[in-house]
Amino acid sequence: MLPFAAVSQIVFVAGARPNFMKIAPILHALHGRETEVRDVLVHTGQHYDHGMSEIFFEQLGIKAPDVHLEVGSGTHGAQTGRIMHTFEEYLMQAPRTAGVVVVGDVNSTMACTLVGVKMGLPVAHVEAGLRSFDRAMPEEINRIVTDSIADLLLVSDPAGLENLAREGVAPERIRYVGNVMIDSVVARLEEADALGQAEALGLSKRGYALVTLHRPQNVDHEDRLRSLVGFLSELADDVPVVFPIHPRTANKLDAFGLRDELERHPRIHASPPLGYIEILSLMKTAQLVISDSGGIQEETTFLRVPCVTLRPSTERPITVSQGTNTIAGMDLDVARGAVKDVLAGKYKPGRDIEGWDGKAGERVVDVILEAWS
Ligand code: UD1
């Protein structure tokens, strides 16, 4: 008998940009299986611009969302509340649901976990166990809450296993599945290579730095953002800088009157956010990446491209111990030193990491079909 004969659907949640490259390989893996389970994709609408959302659906071949909650932006309380309210309304009238799958650490992840668990549904968290130990990061709170109540914790980084064990999580709730975000890199690398985004900008391979910045710690305070604009201008004296600008950062640059200063430098290529294939192409051939992103630390480690992370901590320590990532903290002098080393050819080569192999989505599907059938 086929599994799920008596069960109608599994709900997959995605809401913000970094969720899309994680949900794509899971859905692709599920669609390759012979199962009667129906998958329902819920987009919360936390990110809604074409460049922050739709383009990723197009480029990653994700089906159009079955349900769109259209919550939009807001304060944490307002946004989380809207997601919970609308997701609960959806689940209350939905066909019988076998479980809910959430990914990552954004507000949508935590909000939908709370709703699913309170409605008595099993919830699986993909990318569980990561901890930065910095409670000033909204994502850290989302991770702790999500992992404390989700049923199945699917881990991508060996540190996640240690963290969950230390928190006393029962081993039967935990599985090491590897990194679904790397599945998307593996699937799209050839296309990214063929695109040659750097050449299209008149840049040579390994002849530029790619920069992304969007964390509140870096962009929400005028003094800090001003220092970062100065830092990037200095960097551009040494090497061309490609800087696709996140909407949060763009808003702050405008609000603080810093945009002209940033764009004045002829070697800073500022642009709106880029699509997945474009950013992957730029990452692959960069000499150096400077970022405060979570996922980029992993992607650069997989691609063996040096990454300098402008944050006080990382929840992805394997990218530092085995990968190409350097945590520069918040002191820009430390970052200058790290950048200087890379430009002088001194950086860690990095190595392969277990389960970062392009097959994590398959392992996620193995676990959820086994658990919920
Ligand atoms: C969110 C995630 C963060 C993730 C990041 C990736 C949380 C707590 N944070 O942060 O973990 O790394 O996404 O992008 O969930 N905006 C637009 N268009 C959009 C989306 C946002 O213009 O499509 C603007 C809005 O002005 C909004 C601001 O960007 O207020 C910030 O968006 P928000 O979703 O609140 O947080 P992010 O900073 O994007």
Side-chain angles (χ1 to χ4, degrees), residues 229-288:
V229 168
F231 170 79
L232 295 182
S233 301
E234 262 173 55
L235 175 68
D237 291 338
D238 292 331
V239 62
V241 170
V242 182
F243 186 19
I245 305 179
H246 184 285
R248 171 189 283 277
T249 311
N251 292 342
K252 297 296 178 186
L253 284 168
D254 292 336
F256 303 145
L258 291 168
R259 193 182 276 270
D260 286 349
E261 190 183 331
L262 177 79
E263 292 183 354
R264 196 178 305 136
H265 199 297
R267 298 220 294 178
I268 295 183
H269 301 252
S271 75
L274 295 173
Y276 184 72
I277 307 295
E278 288 78 7
I279 204 92
L280 186 55
S281 175
L282 284 169
M283 220 185 308
K284 170 126 193 294
T285 57
Q287 182 172 12
L288 159 74

Side-chain angles (χ1 to χ4, degrees), residues 15-19 45-53 72-76 79-80 83 105-109 137-140 142-143 214-216 219-220 246-249 251 273 292-295:
R17 185 171 63 177
N19 290 165
Q46 179 174 345
H47 286 173
Y48 43 85
D49 286 349
H50 180 269
M52 295 294 287
S53 175
S73 301
T75 61
H76 285 270
Q79 188 176 62
T80 305
I83 300 168
D105 56 16
V106 301
N107 287 343
S108 303
T109 313
M137 285 179 77
E139 295 79 6
E140 183 73 352
N142 292 342
R143 293 179 199 117
H214 74 279
R215 294 273 163 210
V219 308
D220 279 8
H246 184 285
R248 171 189 283 277
T249 311
N251 292 342
D292 59 9
S293 155

Side-chain angles (χ1 to χ4, degrees), residues 39 62 73 156 173 185 207 215 221 224 295 313 324 340 348:
D39 54 278
I62 310 172
S73 301
S156 57
R173 285 172 60 204
V185 175
R215 294 273 163 210
H221 309 288
R224 175 68 182 171
S313 59
T324 56
K340 205 169 143 220
K348 303 178 280 188

Side-chain angles (χ1 to χ4, degrees), residues 1-7 34-37 369-370 372-373:
M1 198 180 87
L2 287 169
F4 291 99
V7 167
E34 264 194 46
T35 165
E36 285 196 341
V37 67
L369 289 183
E370 196 202 313
W372 297 343
S373 59

